[in-house]
Amino acid sequence: CKKYMKIKRQLIALQKKLHKEKLARSSTRNIQKVLINIIQQIPCREKVKVDSYIKKHDKLIEEAIKYIQTHYRKKLTLGSISRKFSISIYYFSHLFKQKTAQTPINYLHQTRIHLSKKMLLNPKLRIKQIAEKVGYYDVGHFNRFFKKIEGITPTCYRNLAT
């Protein structure tokens, strides 16, 4: 119990320090350094708990990434992906963004568009077919995301690439 009170006091002190030094507006790297310093002061048994907690969530996000990469053709939503891993939508989204610097849905769109670019090199495939193969069942939706991510339309990309 004394250990937890000490940790709690340290976290409160950190919060005050962050506020005082305005590290909250500073880079994530500075905040990480301060947190690592506090974690290093935690007794060994507690470090193992913290490390295993972090590893557990890293593994969960890695599995989610693999899941998206293999099921991108399906109608995936943030809710369906988070349910697959038995975690709340908000917490899943938070962990995913923390690990990958993007939202799960943005990652899904990036994956789909990346794969569609390879297919666009094949002139025998129509854009509608490509859109469906990568999980977009509305060509307009596909065109919008392609242009948002690549800066040009799929047709223009195809013309430039071939």
Side-chain angles (χ1 to χ4, degrees):
C1 210
K2 288 181 183 179
K3 290 183 223 174
Y4 295 108
M5 292 305 291
K6 183 180 177 186
I7 293 169
K8 186 176 180 181
R9 282 192 302 273
Q10 288 174 335
L11 289 174
I12 291 170
L14 170 66
Q15 185 179 21
K16 287 178 183 176
K17 185 177 179 181
L18 287 173
H19 184 68
K20 240 183 207 178
E21 297 177 20
K22 297 184 180 178
L23 283 176
R25 292 188 200 131
S26 166
S27 71
T28 307
R29 181 74 63 196
N30 290 337
I31 294 170
Q32 269 183 326
K33 287 178 186 176
V34 173
L35 290 173
I36 288 170
N37 186 21
I38 287 178
I39 290 172
Q40 288 171 345
Q41 295 174 17
I42 297 173
C44 192
R45 280 183 295 188
E46 301 305 318
K47 271 193 218 177
V48 171
K49 288 180 185 176
V50 170
D51 288 346
S52 68
Y53 179 79
I54 291 169
K55 286 179 186 175
K56 174 185 168 189
H57 287 99
D58 281 353
K59 185 177 180 185
L60 182 137
I61 298 306
E62 287 170 15
E63 288 176 18
I65 288 169
K66 288 177 189 172
Y67 181 80
I68 291 169
Q69 289 172 344
T70 55
H71 295 90
Y72 64 89
R73 289 183 177 116
K74 295 180 180 178
K75 188 174 182 177
L76 295 178
T77 64
L78 185 56
S80 68
I81 299 168
S82 63
R83 274 191 303 276
K84 169 78 176 148
F85 295 97
S86 304
I87 190 168
S88 81
I89 292 171
Y90 304 106
Y91 193 53
F92 173 69
S93 188
H94 169 75
L95 290 174
F96 197 96
K97 191 166 187 175
Q98 191 175 28
K99 176 105 171 131
T100 66
Q102 59 183 329
T103 65
I105 296 304
N106 191 40
Y107 180 80
L108 171 63
H109 290 301
Q110 292 275 350
T111 301
R112 287 173 170 172
I113 297 306
H114 175 74
L115 294 166
S116 71
K117 286 168 46 178
K118 293 177 184 176
M119 292 181 204
L120 283 166
L121 299 176
N122 182 352
K124 293 180 183 176
L125 289 174
R126 294 186 333 197
I127 291 180
K128 182 178 178 169
Q129 291 173 302
I130 294 169
E132 289 173 354
K133 285 182 182 232
V134 296
Y136 293 105
Y137 297 98
D138 176 8
V139 179
H141 198 72
F142 170 68
N143 286 333
R144 245 186 329 278
F145 277 102
F146 194 96
K147 186 169 184 175
K148 181 180 176 184
I149 292 169
E150 293 301 319
I152 57 176
T153 64
T155 306
C156 190
Y157 179 86
R158 174 179 266 169
N159 293 339
L160 290 171
T162 55

